[in-house]
Amino acid sequence: MNEHVIRPVRADEWAKVKALRIAALRDPAASVAFLETVEQAEGRSDEFWQERTARASVGRTVRQFVAEAPGGEWNGSVTVLIEEAGTSDIFDGAIEQTQGHLVGVFVRPGQRGTGLTEALFAAALEWAWSLDEPALERVRLFVHEDNTRAAAFYRRFGFQASGTIVPMPTDPSAKELEYVFARP
């Protein structure tokens, strides 16, 4: 049985946010899962991590959820960005409707297949659906064309390929595929 607590980060937990992000970027799948390198993350100042964590702990624009084990270790994370209609996304595409965007999905290798990713996604979607003015009608994510394990999980969870394909910002010869989860 999975005894993790799934919860939003708190502003004072920036060091744990940084450590988990660096662990994620050291994962063998990091090159097809993240747009940041471990060197970039390690080079960021403490102030960067403090501000990032503070923003992800309150408000409507972003929320980071973590999976905390009974002993306090963080074993996974997902972040929901709120993309407002009329703005541009990270791929320079126009946002036509206010929506959620899941990023930074990571579960430590020893915890994969235990239901932890499902629990993180459930918490992220519950938070996204709780927002109003305007209420979100969909949450999306992008997955690298070679990240077949992640794509299979997203489909099993209920995300559907939208048909939108964009070049990966760090390697325009590679493609990112959009998957969408519509509000139930």
Side-chain angles (χ1 to χ4, degrees):
M1 182 172 138
N2 194 330
E3 297 181 12
H4 286 79
V5 172
I6 309 299
R7 64 171 180 81
V9 297
R10 293 185 292 267
D12 65 346
E13 296 176 315
W14 65 271
K16 287 182 102 169
V17 167
K18 177 182 178 180
L20 188 62
R21 179 64 174 182
I22 290 170
L25 294 170
R26 287 190 174 133
D27 188 273
S31 66
V32 294
F34 303 109
L35 300 179
E36 180 180 38
T37 66
V38 70
E39 294 81 17
Q40 289 169 323
E42 288 176 333
R44 298 191 191 281
S45 69
D46 288 349
E47 291 78 21
F48 169 87
W49 293 103
Q50 291 163 357
E51 290 171 13
R52 179 177 176 157
T53 305
R55 280 192 317 274
S57 68
V58 296
R60 177 189 163 91
T61 59
V62 59
R63 188 64 46 94
Q64 182 177 1
F65 293 89
V66 293
E68 184 175 29
E73 180 182 22
W74 287 7
N75 286 317
S77 178
V78 64
T79 299
V80 185
L81 305 175
I82 302 304
E83 298 174 321
E84 298 291 342
T87 63
S88 295
D89 64 18
I90 61 172
F91 302 107
D92 292 325
I95 304 296
E96 296 177 11
Q97 63 183 350
T98 299
Q99 63 191 359
H101 186 164
L102 298 184
V103 298
V105 178
F106 175 69
V107 171
R108 291 186 191 275
Q111 296 294 322
R112 293 175 187 160
T114 67
L116 204 55
T117 311
E118 290 88 341
L120 284 162
F121 271 50
L125 290 175
E126 181 180 344
W127 179 78
W129 303 146
S130 77
L131 300 174
D132 56 11
E133 300 178 32
L136 305 183
E137 295 302 320
R138 71 183 215 156
V139 171
R140 70 179 183 160
L141 54 79
F142 284 88
V143 62
H144 189 283
E145 62 189 339
D146 293 336
N147 198 348
T148 56
R149 179 184 171 121
F153 168 78
Y154 301 146
R155 287 190 301 273
R156 277 194 316 276
F157 191 84
F159 281 81
Q160 296 181 345
S162 70
T164 298
I165 301 170
V166 296
M168 188 171 178
T170 57
D171 177 5
S173 69
K175 304 295 180 232
E176 293 274 328
L177 314 174
E178 181 187 57
Y179 280 76
V180 175
F181 193 105
R183 184 183 195 101

